[in-house]
Amino acid sequence: MKAILTVHNLASDLVTTIWTPVFVAIFLAIIAYAFWPRNKAVFDEAAHLPLREE
């Protein structure tokens, strides 16, 4: 039973020490991409797609 708890603790430590900062970095990169001034025209065009009649 102690081996299972040790593996569980190891997995939990691995998630909190490695994957959490990785996913936070990915999230921040997505936010930076979305708010980057160069991408404003692309997002404005995409926002008007549902209103455009073709």
Side-chain angles (χ1 to χ4, degrees):
M1 189 68 169
K2 280 191 173 254
I4 293 173
L5 292 175
T6 304
V7 170
H8 180 266
N9 288 341
L10 178 65
S12 176
D13 290 343
L14 181 69
V15 168
T16 54
T17 58
I18 295 176
W19 289 111
T20 301
V22 167
F23 285 125
V24 167
I26 291 170
F27 176 75
L28 292 175
I30 292 169
I31 296 298
Y33 173 78
F35 285 105
W36 206 257
R38 184 181 58 187
N39 298 326
K40 183 176 178 4
V42 176
F43 287 124
D44 285 342
E45 178 67 27
H48 290 108
L49 282 176
L51 305 175
R52 188 170 36 176
E53 292 189 26
E54 295 184 73

